[in-house]
Amino acid sequence: MLDRQPVIGVTGPNEGGQAAWLFTALSVILAGGKPLRINTSMPRSIDQIDGLIIGGGADVEPLKYGQQRIERAVLARDKRTIIEWLLSILFFPVYWIARYFQHTKRSPVDLERDELELKYISEAIERNMPVLGICRGMQLMNVYFNGTLHQDIRGFYAEKSQVSSIFPKKRIVIEDGTKLCELLQTDICNVNALHNQAIDKPGEGIRLAAKELNTDVYQAIEHQEHPFVIGVQWHPEYLIQIARQRNIFKGLVKAAAS
């Protein structure tokens, strides 16, 4: 057990991504950790951190999982307390304004960031360090373990429109017995959706931990041989008003401290 606050490295793009960094950093602080920002302009030694968050942003380069890049067009309630609903109303304009002015996807892919984050994932896994992947981060984790991705998920929504919202409007089902189910303390909940790619073939040792209700779009992964290697397709940093979403960061910080 550490005798200090565990340091959590948070990766992101060089340009943009300020809102994601701020809300992820706040989530780490509320969970009892100390966030440390990482990007290709500010690389850090793996020895400086106790846990790792691979953040959202540009798509993973398809050549890394054996595909050619395809052209894609640019991209709809679960039970909560009154306090959480009020906080949702309060935080929504803050999230929206922050993301409007600070985008994480300044370009379709970011090759330098891919290489940097793959290196961090490798070093973290070697040290048995807890890792959380968020959106793109989950996808990159799957690719690291030799999995593949769907580059465009519009085809999964033939009868119902694809949801794209910072609010928790997408319902997911979490597999019983997973670490994620333990953290969220439920097997069904609503999450936000800001992605246009998803897991296709799971990587080696990867367990599919959650999927979207009524579709085959997977929403979370876990590695079966590591105590805390979890990826989520949604953005829990933008759901800071919901206690169960904060539990994901609490679990990461707790694992980093042990």
Side-chain angles (χ1 to χ4, degrees):
M1 182 71 69
L2 294 176
D3 57 0
R4 55 173 173 77
Q5 280 185 302
V7 178
I8 308 299
V10 181
T11 69
N14 280 339
E15 297 183 13
Q18 190 68 19
W21 155 248
L22 290 174
F23 285 108
T24 304
L26 178 58
S27 297
V28 169
I29 291 168
L30 291 174
K34 182 179 179 181
L36 180 67
R37 193 173 191 179
I38 298 172
N39 57 40
T40 55
S41 294
M42 291 188 298
R44 317 280 188 168
S45 167
I46 194 72
D47 296 325
Q48 292 180 261
I49 63 175
D50 306 296
L52 177 66
I53 295 175
I54 305 293
D59 294 339
V60 179
E61 168 55 49
L63 290 176
K64 286 185 169 59
Y65 48 94
Q67 295 181 13
Q68 295 294 322
R69 192 184 309 171
I70 62 174
E71 294 297 325
R72 182 181 56 251
V74 178
L75 305 164
R77 225 167 30 196
D78 64 344
K79 187 176 181 181
R80 275 179 270 162
T81 66
I82 296 298
I83 295 298
E84 287 180 341
W85 274 110
L86 291 174
L87 286 172
S88 293
I89 294 169
L90 176 65
F91 274 92
F92 176 71
V94 178
Y95 293 148
W96 189 89
I97 291 169
R99 280 186 57 83
Y100 182 83
F101 289 106
Q102 293 287 342
H103 298 293
T104 58
K105 286 190 177 183
R106 294 297 179 92
S107 61
V109 295
D110 187 337
L111 299 179
E112 290 186 7
R113 184 181 172 191
D114 283 350
E115 295 304 323
L116 180 74
E117 291 178 335
L118 287 168
K119 175 176 176 288
Y120 276 111
I121 293 171
S122 178
E123 292 178 341
I125 294 297
E126 287 177 5
R127 289 164 172 76
N128 212 27
M129 185 180 291
V131 183
L132 171 64
I134 297 176
C135 198
R136 161 203 159 86
M138 181 188 90
Q139 297 162 7
L140 189 67
M141 285 168 57
N142 190 59
V143 170
Y144 172 79
F145 289 108
N146 298 316
T148 62
L149 306 177
H150 293 292
Q151 292 188 51
D152 188 347
I153 60 172
R154 287 177 299 165
F156 289 92
Y157 301 93
E159 297 180 2
K160 185 177 180 181
S161 298
Q162 180 180 346
V163 175
S164 181
S165 174
I166 205 166
F167 251 4
K169 293 186 176 182
K170 180 168 287 191
R171 177 145 292 195
I172 65 168
V173 179
I174 302 124
E175 290 291 325
D176 289 336
T178 59
K179 183 70 175 178
L180 189 64
C181 187
E182 176 187 335
L183 291 171
L184 294 177
Q185 300 176 352
T186 184
D187 60 1
I188 190 165
C189 69
N190 283 11
V191 297
N192 53 23
L194 299 170
H195 63 107
N196 50 37
Q197 297 191 322
I199 301 295
D200 179 13
K201 174 189 171 185
E204 298 165 5
I206 291 293
R207 178 180 182 179
L208 299 169
K211 66 179 294 187
E212 188 175 334
L213 190 65
N214 301 323
T215 77
D216 290 326
V217 177
Y218 289 97
Q219 289 285 331
I221 60 173
E222 298 181 3
H223 200 281
Q224 299 179 84
E225 298 175 8
H226 297 277
F228 198 110
V229 175
I230 297 174
V232 296
Q233 188 63 77
W234 66 94
H235 287 261
E237 75 274 22
Y238 293 136
L239 298 173
I240 203 170
Q241 71 277 12
I242 300 175
R244 67 163 58 103
Q245 298 295 330
R246 296 196 300 273
N247 286 345
I248 296 173
F249 297 98
K250 288 180 180 178
L252 174 72
V253 171
K254 182 179 179 180
S258 60

